[in-house]
PDB file of all heavy atoms in Angstrom:
ATOM      1  N   LYS A 148      63.322  87.823  92.564  1.00  0.00           N
ATOM      2  CA  LYS A 148      63.446  89.259  92.316  1.00  0.00           C
ATOM      3  C   LYS A 148      64.576  89.908  93.110  1.00  0.00           C
ATOM      4  O   LYS A 148      65.011  91.006  92.782  1.00  0.00           O
ATOM      5  CB  LYS A 148      62.126  89.965  92.662  1.00  0.00           C
ATOM      6  CG  LYS A 148      60.988  89.673  91.691  1.00  0.00           C
ATOM      7  CD  LYS A 148      61.309  90.209  90.300  1.00  0.00           C
ATOM      8  CE  LYS A 148      60.144  90.056  89.352  1.00  0.00           C
ATOM      9  NZ  LYS A 148      60.488  90.534  87.980  1.00  0.00           N
ATOM     10  N   VAL A 149      65.045  89.255  94.159  1.00  0.00           N
ATOM     11  CA  VAL A 149      66.112  89.811  94.979  1.00  0.00           C
ATOM     12  C   VAL A 149      66.793  88.657  95.700  1.00  0.00           C
ATOM     13  O   VAL A 149      66.156  87.628  95.991  1.00  0.00           O
ATOM     14  CB  VAL A 149      65.550  90.853  95.984  1.00  0.00           C
ATOM     15  CG1 VAL A 149      64.621  90.200  96.992  1.00  0.00           C
ATOM     16  CG2 VAL A 149      66.663  91.608  96.685  1.00  0.00           C
ATOM     17  N   ALA A 150      68.084  88.795  95.965  1.00  0.00           N
ATOM     18  CA  ALA A 150      68.824  87.787  96.727  1.00  0.00           C
ATOM     19  C   ALA A 150      70.012  88.466  97.387  1.00  0.00           C
ATOM     20  O   ALA A 150      70.553  89.448  96.853  1.00  0.00           O
ATOM     21  CB  ALA A 150      69.289  86.646  95.831  1.00  0.00           C
ATOM     22  N   ALA A 151      70.425  87.948  98.547  1.00  0.00           N
ATOM     23  CA  ALA A 151      71.528  88.591  99.268  1.00  0.00           C
ATOM     24  C   ALA A 151      72.153  87.608 100.243  1.00  0.00           C
ATOM     25  O   ALA A 151      71.471  86.754 100.824  1.00  0.00           O
ATOM     26  CB  ALA A 151      71.032  89.821 100.033  1.00  0.00           C
ATOM     27  N   PHE A 152      73.470  87.724 100.420  1.00  0.00           N
ATOM     28  CA  PHE A 152      74.164  87.008 101.478  1.00  0.00           C
ATOM     29  C   PHE A 152      73.881  87.672 102.814  1.00  0.00           C
ATOM     30  O   PHE A 152      73.606  88.876 102.895  1.00  0.00           O
ATOM     31  CB  PHE A 152      75.676  87.050 101.252  1.00  0.00           C
ATOM     32  CG  PHE A 152      76.190  86.094 100.213  1.00  0.00           C
ATOM     33  CD1 PHE A 152      76.838  86.566  99.081  1.00  0.00           C
ATOM     34  CD2 PHE A 152      76.066  84.722 100.380  1.00  0.00           C
ATOM     35  CE1 PHE A 152      77.343  85.704  98.139  1.00  0.00           C
ATOM     36  CE2 PHE A 152      76.567  83.839  99.443  1.00  0.00           C
ATOM     37  CZ  PHE A 152      77.207  84.329  98.309  1.00  0.00           C
ATOM     38  N   GLY A 153      73.975  86.885 103.891  1.00  0.00           N
ATOM     39  CA  GLY A 153      73.985  87.456 105.220  1.00  0.00           C
ATOM     40  C   GLY A 153      75.321  88.134 105.470  1.00  0.00           C
ATOM     41  O   GLY A 153      76.267  88.012 104.678  1.00  0.00           O
ATOM     42  N   PRO A 154      75.462  88.875 106.578  1.00  0.00           N
ATOM     43  CA  PRO A 154      76.730  89.553 106.874  1.00  0.00           C
ATOM     44  C   PRO A 154      77.833  88.564 107.191  1.00  0.00           C
ATOM     45  O   PRO A 154      77.598  87.356 107.323  1.00  0.00           O
ATOM     46  CB  PRO A 154      76.376  90.418 108.085  1.00  0.00           C
ATOM     47  CG  PRO A 154      75.227  89.721 108.730  1.00  0.00           C
ATOM     48  CD  PRO A 154      74.445  89.092 107.612  1.00  0.00           C
ATOM     49  N   ALA A 155      79.047  89.059 107.309  1.00  0.00           N
ATOM     50  CA  ALA A 155      80.198  88.210 107.615  1.00  0.00           C
ATOM     51  C   ALA A 155      79.930  87.382 108.871  1.00  0.00           C
ATOM     52  O   ALA A 155      79.425  87.891 109.869  1.00  0.00           O
ATOM     53  CB  ALA A 155      81.443  89.076 107.803  1.00  0.00           C
ATOM     54  N   GLY A 156      80.233  86.111 108.796  1.00  0.00           N
ATOM     55  CA  GLY A 156      80.006  85.213 109.912  1.00  0.00           C
ATOM     56  C   GLY A 156      78.677  84.506 109.901  1.00  0.00           C
ATOM     57  O   GLY A 156      78.439  83.602 110.711  1.00  0.00           O
ATOM     58  N   SER A 157      77.782  84.894 108.989  1.00  0.00           N
ATOM     59  CA  SER A 157      76.466  84.262 108.900  1.00  0.00           C
ATOM     60  C   SER A 157      76.463  83.225 107.789  1.00  0.00           C
ATOM     61  O   SER A 157      77.069  83.414 106.738  1.00  0.00           O
ATOM     62  CB  SER A 157      75.393  85.316 108.605  1.00  0.00           C
ATOM     63  OG  SER A 157      74.146  84.700 108.312  1.00  0.00           O
ATOM     64  N   ASP A 158      75.770  82.119 108.018  1.00  0.00           N
ATOM     65  CA  ASP A 158      75.620  81.081 107.002  1.00  0.00           C
ATOM     66  C   ASP A 158      74.334  81.234 106.209  1.00  0.00           C
ATOM     67  O   ASP A 158      74.015  80.397 105.369  1.00  0.00           O
ATOM     68  CB  ASP A 158      75.635  79.690 107.653  1.00  0.00           C
ATOM     69  CG  ASP A 158      77.036  79.269 108.067  1.00  0.00           C
ATOM     70  OD1 ASP A 158      78.004  79.772 107.459  1.00  0.00           O
ATOM     71  OD2 ASP A 158      77.164  78.462 108.999  1.00  0.00           O
ATOM     72  N   LEU A 159      73.576  82.291 106.474  1.00  0.00           N
ATOM     73  CA  LEU A 159      72.292  82.465 105.812  1.00  0.00           C
ATOM     74  C   LEU A 159      72.408  83.277 104.530  1.00  0.00           C
ATOM     75  O   LEU A 159      73.316  84.097 104.365  1.00  0.00           O
ATOM     76  CB  LEU A 159      71.315  83.172 106.748  1.00  0.00           C
ATOM     77  CG  LEU A 159      70.781  82.382 107.938  1.00  0.00           C
ATOM     78  CD1 LEU A 159      69.952  83.292 108.838  1.00  0.00           C
ATOM     79  CD2 LEU A 159      69.939  81.199 107.473  1.00  0.00           C
ATOM     80  N   LEU A 160      71.490  83.012 103.621  1.00  0.00           N
ATOM     81  CA  LEU A 160      71.250  83.900 102.496  1.00  0.00           C
ATOM     82  C   LEU A 160      69.746  83.946 102.291  1.00  0.00           C
ATOM     83  O   LEU A 160      69.007  83.062 102.729  1.00  0.00           O
ATOM     84  CB  LEU A 160      71.981  83.446 101.234  1.00  0.00           C
ATOM     85  CG  LEU A 160      71.580  82.123 100.565  1.00  0.00           C
ATOM     86  CD1 LEU A 160      70.473  82.338  99.534  1.00  0.00           C
ATOM     87  CD2 LEU A 160      72.781  81.509  99.874  1.00  0.00           C
ATOM     88  N   LEU A 161      69.285  85.008 101.631  1.00  0.00           N
ATOM     89  CA  LEU A 161      67.850  85.156 101.395  1.00  0.00           C
ATOM     90  C   LEU A 161      67.584  85.286  99.908  1.00  0.00           C
ATOM     91  O   LEU A 161      68.449  85.676  99.127  1.00  0.00           O
ATOM     92  CB  LEU A 161      67.290  86.360 102.148  1.00  0.00           C
ATOM     93  CG  LEU A 161      67.777  87.773 101.793  1.00  0.00           C
ATOM     94  CD1 LEU A 161      67.089  88.337 100.552  1.00  0.00           C
ATOM     95  CD2 LEU A 161      67.552  88.709 102.958  1.00  0.00           C
ATOM     96  N   ALA A 162      66.362  84.953  99.537  1.00  0.00           N
ATOM     97  CA  ALA A 162      65.894  85.142  98.166  1.00  0.00           C
ATOM     98  C   ALA A 162      64.426  85.523  98.226  1.00  0.00           C
ATOM     99  O   ALA A 162      63.626  84.861  98.897  1.00  0.00           O
ATOM    100  CB  ALA A 162      66.089  83.874  97.336  1.00  0.00           C
ATOM    101  N   GLY A 163      64.064  86.618  97.546  1.00  0.00           N
ATOM    102  CA  GLY A 163      62.694  87.097  97.522  1.00  0.00           C
ATOM    103  C   GLY A 163      62.075  86.881  96.157  1.00  0.00           C
ATOM    104  O   GLY A 163      62.739  87.054  95.121  1.00  0.00           O
ATOM    105  N   ALA A 164      60.795  86.530  96.141  1.00  0.00           N
ATOM    106  CA  ALA A 164      60.139  86.114  94.904  1.00  0.00           C
ATOM    107  C   ALA A 164      59.086  87.109  94.444  1.00  0.00           C
ATOM    108  O   ALA A 164      58.639  87.987  95.192  1.00  0.00           O
ATOM    109  CB  ALA A 164      59.508  84.734  95.096  1.00  0.00           C
ATOM    110  N   ALA A 165      58.667  86.923  93.212  1.00  0.00           N
ATOM    111  CA  ALA A 165      57.672  87.807  92.602  1.00  0.00           C
ATOM    112  C   ALA A 165      56.308  87.682  93.263  1.00  0.00           C
ATOM    113  O   ALA A 165      55.489  88.602  93.172  1.00  0.00           O
ATOM    114  CB  ALA A 165      57.560  87.515  91.104  1.00  0.00           C
ATOM    115  N   ASP A 166      56.034  86.569  93.936  1.00  0.00           N
ATOM    116  CA  ASP A 166      54.739  86.404  94.599  1.00  0.00           C
ATOM    117  C   ASP A 166      54.734  86.962  96.015  1.00  0.00           C
ATOM    118  O   ASP A 166      53.742  86.822  96.743  1.00  0.00           O
ATOM    119  CB  ASP A 166      54.322  84.933  94.607  1.00  0.00           C
ATOM    120  CG  ASP A 166      55.230  84.045  95.452  1.00  0.00           C
ATOM    121  OD1 ASP A 166      56.209  84.566  96.029  1.00  0.00           O
ATOM    122  OD2 ASP A 166      54.980  82.826  95.519  1.00  0.00           O
ATOM    123  N   GLY A 167      55.830  87.593  96.442  1.00  0.00           N
ATOM    124  CA  GLY A 167      55.890  88.211  97.761  1.00  0.00           C
ATOM    125  C   GLY A 167      56.497  87.353  98.851  1.00  0.00           C
ATOM    126  O   GLY A 167      56.642  87.807  99.985  1.00  0.00           O
ATOM    127  N   THR A 168      56.870  86.123  98.529  1.00  0.00           N
ATOM    128  CA  THR A 168      57.440  85.227  99.532  1.00  0.00           C
ATOM    129  C   THR A 168      58.953  85.418  99.615  1.00  0.00           C
ATOM    130  O   THR A 168      59.627  85.589  98.604  1.00  0.00           O
ATOM    131  CB  THR A 168      57.140  83.763  99.175  1.00  0.00           C
ATOM    132  OG1 THR A 168      55.736  83.599  98.973  1.00  0.00           O
ATOM    133  CG2 THR A 168      57.582  82.829 100.295  1.00  0.00           C
TER     134      THR A 168
END
Side-chain angles (χ1 to χ4, degrees):
K148 289 296 186 182
V149 65
F152 282 119
S157 171
D158 285 335
L159 289 174
L160 66 89
L161 64 80
D166 66 359
T168 307

